[in-house]
Amino acid sequence: MKDNGHESSPPPSGAPHRPAQHYFSSEPLSAQNLRELRVTLAGRELDLVTAAGIFSPDHVDLGTRVLLRKVPAPAQEGNLLDLGCGWGPISLTMALESPRAHVWAVDVNTRAVEIVRQNAQRAGIENITACTPDEVPTDVEFATIWSNPPVRIGKAALQELVSQWLGRLITDGEAWLVIQRHLGADSLHRWLAQNWEVERAGSAKGFRVLQVKPRN
């Protein structure tokens, strides 16, 4: 999950060159640097852990906060998806609000996946599976998708990513996406509308929240 983009800073002059690192890198090269974080999610105060090399490790980012304020309660049963889970604020919220459902917390960043597992254990939440995208069984379909997707991967890659997972919504399922306005929210809206029912469900602080449903 994302404030729709931050990248690691370049090394100082004279420092050894390292490959560019992003929160959407699959294997972060930076030291893990675990840190404690106290947050309130779904009305519960939680003591969690975050780490370097994942998205927004020090707080719940603004885009995610906007999404969580705007979305209705997720489906109470079935499979739910947090696409691009980071350290887990969206997936933990879904799991707390829908204890009979099963939440898939998905991220290409293996460090983020492990952090979500730790946070679910810390919070006593048992209805979350944190994993990389290729570990989600191909026959799993979703009643609800919440996502603050990684727009910094580029327009074409973002469209492919979103399309792949929206295609796994059940017939009456719905997805809620938060996108920063100046990073392509309106163009993504137009592109999605070619194949799905799309509505702008809210706007706040420079972000758009899009509701997406299968077209019947």
Side-chain angles (χ1 to χ4, degrees), residues 16 23 124 132 141 166 170 179:
Y23 60 81
T132 58
E141 295 181 316
L166 290 179
I170 62 175
I179 310 286

Side-chain angles (χ1 to χ4, degrees), residues 93-172:
T93 298
M94 295 178 101
L96 289 169
E97 292 189 354
S98 299
R100 297 192 308 274
H102 190 87
V103 177
W104 294 82
V106 174
D107 205 300
V108 298
N109 186 321
T110 55
R111 182 176 294 173
V113 168
E114 177 55 34
I115 292 296
V116 174
R117 291 172 182 160
Q118 292 184 41
N119 283 334
Q121 184 175 22
R122 280 172 166 253
I125 296 172
E126 299 182 349
N127 59 325
I128 290 180
T129 296
C131 61
T132 58
D134 58 357
E135 294 175 311
V136 181
T138 57
D139 60 347
V140 172
E141 295 181 316
F142 301 101
T144 305
I145 297 173
W146 289 357
S147 182
N148 186 352
V151 299
R152 293 291 189 184
I153 64 177
K155 181 177 179 180
L158 178 65
Q159 290 178 353
E160 181 180 2
L161 175 71
V162 171
S163 179
Q164 173 190 353
W165 294 96
L166 290 179
R168 297 176 69 166
L169 281 169
I170 62 175
T171 302
D172 58 348

